[in-house]
Amino acid sequence: MLDAREDPKIRARATVRRKAAGMTAGQIEKATDEARRHERIRSRLRETEDDVRAIGIAVAEHTEWRRIGYVMEEEGLEVYDPERDPTAVRWAREEAGRKRQAQARQDGAAKLVLTVPVEEEAYQQLRACAAAHGIAPRHLMGLLAERVRTTSEGLVEVAPFAVEIGADIEK
């Protein structure tokens, strides 16, 4: 999981890479100098939490411009291409993986449907128990589901529990 303070810096670095795409080494150098000036100006303001965040972003941007200049030199690029930047490629893959995982969690939460076959006798007992306590069967099932566990043998069980019927249980 990403630290909430780190996320704006990650976005800032990604923005720099998008801006740098197609730029020459001279243009990258000029952008690096501008980012250095911006960082110096920002570092003089430390009055609020927003100022501190802005400094962190300015540092991240300046660092990314310098890194891109280094990559261009090492890879012998005439213009910056994020596809030929091994670190940018890895970061893009990692970000895509995080997005897929987040989407899968969201989709899984939205699509989770569990069907549990219950024998007629057990079903009737659950309905009778719910009726005896004046609650809807679905609420009793919810209470059971909150307490279910799997044994080492792979069996599903619910430990005994007592519930005080009150205003929080819909009848």
Side-chain angles (χ1 to χ4, degrees):
M1 201 64 153
L2 294 177
D3 185 315
R5 292 169 299 182
E6 192 65 23
D7 191 46
K9 295 174 188 176
I10 291 170
R11 285 195 309 265
R13 290 191 301 259
T15 299
V16 168
R17 285 190 300 278
R18 281 192 300 275
K19 286 179 184 177
M23 292 175 82
T24 65
Q27 291 169 319
I28 297 292
E29 188 176 333
K30 188 175 180 179
T32 302
D33 290 342
E34 181 61 33
R36 181 181 9 258
R37 280 191 292 281
H38 181 70
E39 179 183 346
R40 283 186 187 148
I41 291 167
R42 278 304 202 179
S43 66
R44 293 182 189 136
L45 303 170
R46 293 180 186 228
E47 297 174 9
T48 68
E49 197 172 307
D50 287 341
D51 292 336
V52 173
R53 268 193 297 275
I55 292 166
I57 291 169
V59 169
E61 290 172 343
H62 179 213
T63 301
E64 187 64 3
W65 281 113
R66 287 192 343 246
R67 190 193 68 76
I68 289 170
Y70 175 80
V71 167
M72 288 187 68
E73 188 176 317
E74 287 298 305
E75 297 292 322
L77 302 176
E78 290 186 30
V79 295
Y80 178 69
D81 179 1
E83 303 277 324
R84 295 192 51 206
D85 177 345
T87 302
V89 169
R90 180 174 47 84
W91 286 342
R93 243 190 337 262
E94 290 170 359
E95 179 62 20
R98 281 191 296 273
K99 285 180 181 178
R100 277 193 306 276
Q101 288 174 346
Q103 187 63 48
R105 281 192 302 274
Q106 185 178 357
D107 290 350
K111 295 179 182 177
L112 178 62
V113 176
L114 179 63
T115 303
V116 179
V118 178
E119 293 182 18
E120 183 63 28
E121 183 180 340
Y123 175 72
Q124 292 304 327
Q125 288 176 343
L126 287 169
R127 288 183 63 80
C129 181
H133 290 88
I135 61 174
R138 71 177 180 276
H139 291 290
L140 178 58
M141 293 302 291
L143 293 169
L144 291 170
E146 290 173 0
R147 291 163 178 83
V148 74
R149 67 183 182 99
T150 306
T151 67
S152 58
E153 295 84 30
L155 300 173
V156 175
E157 69 179 16
V158 177
F161 65 95
V163 177
E164 183 178 322
I165 306 300
D168 62 329
I169 304 285
E170 186 181 307
K171 294 186 177 191

